[in-house]
Each structure stands twice: as C-alpha cells, then as structure tokens.
Amino acid sequence: MPDSSNLINIPVGKLGIIPLESSKALGEKVDSYIARWRAERHNEHKDSITFAGYEKDSYILKSCCPRFGSGEAKGTLSESVRGTDLYLLVDVVNHSITYNICGQTNMMSPDDHYSDLKRIIAAIGGKANRITVIMPFLYESRQHKRSSRESLDCAIALQELVSLGIDNIITFDAHDPRVQNAIPYSGFENIMPTYQFIKTLLRSTPDLKLDSDHMMVISPDEGAMNRAIYFANHLGVDVGMFYKRRDYTTIVNGKNPIVAHEFLGDDVEGKDVIIMDDMIASGESMLDVAKQLKERKANRVYALATFGLFTAGLEIFDKAHEEGIIEKVITTNLTYQMPELFGRPWYESADMSKYIAILIDHLNHNASISSLIDQTERIQARIKEYKEKGTITDNYKAPKVN
C-alpha cells in the first residue's frame, strides 16, 4: 500500500460517514476499517485539540428519510454535523428497499434513491465543512450523452449536486467518465476496481497461466475496450473485441436491439478468456459473447463486471454455468448483491470496502490519493506473487503514522 506518512496532516474536520439506507452494509464495513486503523495508529499529535474526535468506535452519523402515506418524504439527521468532513454513500440501483404509498408497496427506483440523497444534503443545510458524495454507480450514467431530442440526465444530476453544495463526487467505472465535463470546476473522481478484480480472480482460481499462449482478454463492445486493454497489459496477454451489430430501425426498451456480436481478434482456441465490462444488466449480451467464444473453442470463460445488476434474474447464469458456457462471474459489492448470489458456485465478489475506507481516510487528512488511484505497483506485485507461488495472500497492513 502507499506510504501513509502523509496522514500526519491535520484532518479537514471531524470525520462523518452517512451511508444512506441503500448503502448501509457497505458503509458499516468501511466504518469498521477506519475505526480499527485509527485506534491502531500512533501519532504524537493525536491528543491535541485539532485531532479531537479523531479516534472513535464509529464515524457513522445517523440519518433517515421517513415517508408520509402519500409517498412524500423528508431527510432527517439525528446529530450535529457542524464543521464535519462528511462522506455520503448511496447506491442508486439498490432494488431491495420498499416504501408504502396509499397502502401499496413500491420498490425504490434510482430516482427515489437520488431524491433521498438530495434530502439528506438539504438536512445538512450547509453546516458541514465539506461534503463528498460516494456514488459507486453514477446516477443516470447510461444517459450520459444526447444523440437526438432527448434528455441529458447524468449531466443535469451532476450540476444539481454541485449547486446543492457538494464539494467532491467519487464514482467507480463510470459508463462514460467524460460526463464530468458538465462540472469542470468541481471535484470528480472516476476510480477503476482493476486491482480488486485481479486479486479476486487470482485468489479464486489457482491454475491460471498468465501468458498470451493460454489467456486472452475480450471486450464485449467498443465502449469497454479501454478497460480491457489496461487489464490485458497488466497480465501480458492479447486483446480481442466484439462489436454489436444493431437494428437501428427498431427500438426495444429504449434502445436498438442487438442483431449479432461480431468478433475481432486472434484465435481463442484452448485459451482461458476474460470478458471485461462495466456492468451486467440482464446479462444476455455477456452470455451471448461467452457462447460465441465457446463456439470458437475457448477453454474457460470468466466474466468480470464492476456492477452486477442481474435484472433478468440468476437463472440464465445458472443454465450457462451448467452448460459450461461460463466458468465464473466476478462483480463488486459496490451495489446491492442479492443474498442468493453467494450460494452460486459460479459467483465471486470483489470486496471494495477496504479501498473506499482508505480513500476516505486519506481525503479526510487532505492527503493525495494519486497513489491510491494508480494501482500499477500493487497489481504487478500480486501477479508476480501468483506466478511464483500459484496463489496470493492478503498481506495488507493498516496504515501507520510515524
């Protein structure tokens, strides 16, 4: 891990973490890491007034968004946030939360989660020292550009958050990070989970051969090519790409249906193949690519995606695994994970809570996070360890201050 000596900097303010209901589980794990690290950390200035409240059992500030019978809601805070350095966590695609409206049960949509975020910001009322929103799945990120007479939802949301007083926005693997151009004077970090993917893949698969003769990385479309190239360069393997041939005369569910996936790349016969993408929505596109790779006599197919939404359920992946089309699926815990996922033999979860905790810890100290975002050294160290030992261990130690 990066040198933590910069953490002797005076904190921006007392640390406060507000995980909305949608990110409660992730927020609690992040909080646990930070509380443990700060209890173990040695600092000669720890008892000074500038570090007051630095070491606590928990940094989570209680909040809620109760609703009236009409479906209207309000944001409330249970304690003071004056002068606090706040970090708000929200998962806008968590479909497991419901609320009642006129006696009917409604499932919370991304719009509802985004509205609750704004309500909590409004409850803060400008009293915080600084507010950072950690929104792993960027709200409306799939509607990031205008190609006809249509809305530009993601850009509007970013501008709205900045107008509400947000200082920084942290997201992961944005569908198109160029949308940050909508807020050019505000903090925006788009972070890739490449290190966590490689770590999870190597831990869970002991017999991979990391060379171009036995492995290949595939982009399922042209939009995912950059992340596939980055991943492949670290592993030292070749890259291939599918492009989606669409029917532009028809619109189904708001988009043009895919007619076929066409492949560009070297022969995949006998090779383990990794498919990289930002999300698995229904999963049909990912599985179609995997099926075509198996038809080209690929060995094992691994599907890696930052966000596993599984909007069409898990049965299609169960069937694909039984038929030998998919060997393993790896997604992160940045968004809601259905409990039944963890019982599937084909699924592995890449835990991002420690990484988010490190980011918050550094940002609270106004320390640079450049070394955290650039994960090259850590990735190469893990690949070297795997090649030498056939496995990797979690040798991370809590940051310490001299």
Side-chain angles (χ1 to χ4, degrees), residues 116-185:
D116 279 357
L117 172 65
K118 291 190 292 183
R119 291 181 177 110
I120 294 300
I121 296 170
I124 293 168
K127 302 300 189 299
N129 187 327
R130 187 175 67 178
I131 303 175
T132 298
V133 168
I134 300 177
M135 185 186 291
F137 187 99
L138 189 61
Y139 175 68
E140 290 292 350
S141 57
R142 300 174 80 177
Q143 187 54 29
H144 63 285
K145 62 183 179 181
R146 177 180 287 146
S147 57
S148 62
R149 289 186 294 275
E150 58 187 18
S151 59
L152 200 57
D153 296 26
C154 189
I156 292 171
L158 291 176
Q159 292 178 346
E160 187 175 22
L161 288 175
V162 169
S163 71
L164 289 171
I166 297 303
D167 296 280
N168 299 293
I169 297 171
I170 296 176
T171 192
F172 288 80
D173 202 355
H175 197 62
D176 188 342
R178 290 175 296 182
V179 74
Q180 68 184 285
N181 293 335
I183 50 170
Y185 300 115

Side-chain angles (χ1 to χ4, degrees), residues 3-22:
D3 181 17
S4 62
S5 59
N6 286 336
L7 298 188
I8 60 175
N9 294 355
I10 295 174
V12 173
K14 290 186 297 184
L15 176 60
I17 301 173
I18 302 181
L20 274 70
E21 185 66 23
S22 58

Side-chain angles (χ1 to χ4, degrees), residues 23-39:
S23 288
K24 184 177 179 182
L26 180 62
E28 289 175 348
K29 293 186 73 173
V30 169
D31 178 59
S32 175
Y33 277 117
I34 297 177
R36 176 161 55 86
W37 293 339
R38 292 194 170 187

